[in-house]
Amino acid sequence: MPHSESTPEQQDPPARTELTPTMEDTTLNLGNGGLTDEDLLMAGVDEVESPPVVPPAAVEQQPPPSSAPEEEDAPVEIKQETKSDIKLEDLFDGMDSDSDDEFSGKNNHTNKDLVTGQVPPSSPGPAAPSGGGSNPDLLRAFYQLLFPWRHYFQWLNHSPTPTPDFKHREFSLWLSGGVVFRFQSYATLDLLRKDVFKHLPERIEIGPIYTANPRDRKTFRNSSAFKPVAKELCFDIDLTDYDDVRTCCDKANICGKCWRFITMAIKVLGVALKEDFGYEHVMWVYSGRRGAHAWVCDRKARGLDDHKRKAIGNYFSVVKGGEKTGKRVNVRRPLHPHLARSLGILKEHFLTDVLEGQDPWREEDRAEKLLMLLPDVKLRVALKEKWEANPGRSSVVKWGDIDSVAKTMGSVNTKDLLEAKQDIVLEYTYPRLDILVTEQKTHLLKSPFVVHPGTGRVCVPIDTDDLDGFDPLGVPTIGGLVNEIDAAGGVVKKEGDDEDRRGAEWERTSIKPYTDQFRGFVHGLLREEREFVRVKREREEEGGLDF
Ligand SMILES: [Zn+2]
């Protein structure tokens, strides 16, 4: 439920001003994003470190890691003069999600766009990578006026005043031009904000909470005193992993039709996380282009070690291998209750979103794949003959042909056929996860509410109560939002916290429902945290009496 503790009405006659002059007034010595070596040194991090060694896959079904483990703690200097020589994907290949194409966004919008309000609003269609996701002026306006700082802090801190949960949390800031600051940490929200205003990162990633301040990690070299202790349990789904089953788009392109794969994945994972694992505080966030991330924020999830995270990853590892693996789903019978429940959810989606929406087997060569997944050689031959004699049959019709042809043959084992068809439904619909994101506490994940540099879309929370109503192509873009502020009369000059003062800019833009939802989510999480603290204190007091 959206939380609405503030109202959009104004208390005082607002002193309005156009956005652009105000931004000039509040320019924070950004120098158009130019960083000196001194800046890099002052930031405390002039290097990046490689991801931890991936444990060997415990089971054959484990997808291969997307990058080879590198020597731990091997520093890679990123200095200004070298930044153009280093490709981000080389440094972080496989370490982050959704990273390719992120930095392909161009500064399509100039200051002039901002002044004249000509930045196009949310532009539907996959071939419209606009929205100003890399424009420093737009980023400055976004971070200053629209980013939900206070609730963001509370979400990560779990308390009103700074705790180690916030102070020892790793942030990484991705700047335009290929500079990445890893292992950043902040004692207060103000320090984080100040750093973000200074660098205007195109992307912020969130890592784990460490035993000590991540900036001091070198003090603890060769010691177990510095290690990750907590992190939300995360899931990452990306539509590029569905390229072998979607026909409408491929690669970074998406549309409403293939977004249905994300919708069904969220449904299946959502129910399982709640009913199978007992998690209550699960936030889904649009990745800005072609996928979604889940942040399971329950205290018991944050404390999971990597061994347990791996077990959870395996639990959801149903579609195995890659495109060329052949039959990718081979689940045991009787079906695990989780799979039986998932099939119940997915069957309908299979008929409407896959068979009708994608029509994956209409072409003869694609229909070969369906035949390959069927158990009986004679059945396969009979179907192939039928389809060759009647070209152009749709996937819905071909799916029906399987049972009707099997029936006329009489010799097909109906149990084997049923199970094969269940496996096919799962292969085409069951969530496909980037498993490393789930399994490794140290894995960085793109923060909610940052802006995708390529599309300009904000990484907003997804309302799971209205999952079918979420339109990824209708998500506000940074350019559109700034236009909305201008159209509503510009910035209202008032003292106080940008986020919480009445009549704040975010409330007058289309980001409001997403921010409201985030605030509601954070309030729910904090309620549980307070309850945990209360019960713990009571137990300690009771324990005290016993002695
Ligand atoms: Zn599509």
Side-chain angles (χ1 to χ4, degrees), residues 248-249 254-255 258:
C248 50
C249 309
I254 69 159
C255 69
C258 51

Side-chain angles (χ1 to χ4, degrees), residues 239 246-250 253-259 358:
L239 274 175
R246 58 176 180 159
T247 57
C248 50
C249 309
D250 66 353
N253 301 313
I254 69 159
C255 69
K257 273 186 178 180
C258 51
W259 184 258
Q358 299 289 338

Side-chain angles (χ1 to χ4, degrees), residues 376-379 405-414 416-417:
D376 187 293
V377 180
K378 285 181 186 164
L379 174 63
V405 170
K407 207 170 179 182
T408 56
M409 290 170 61
S411 60
V412 179
N413 183 319
T414 51
D416 288 351
L417 184 58

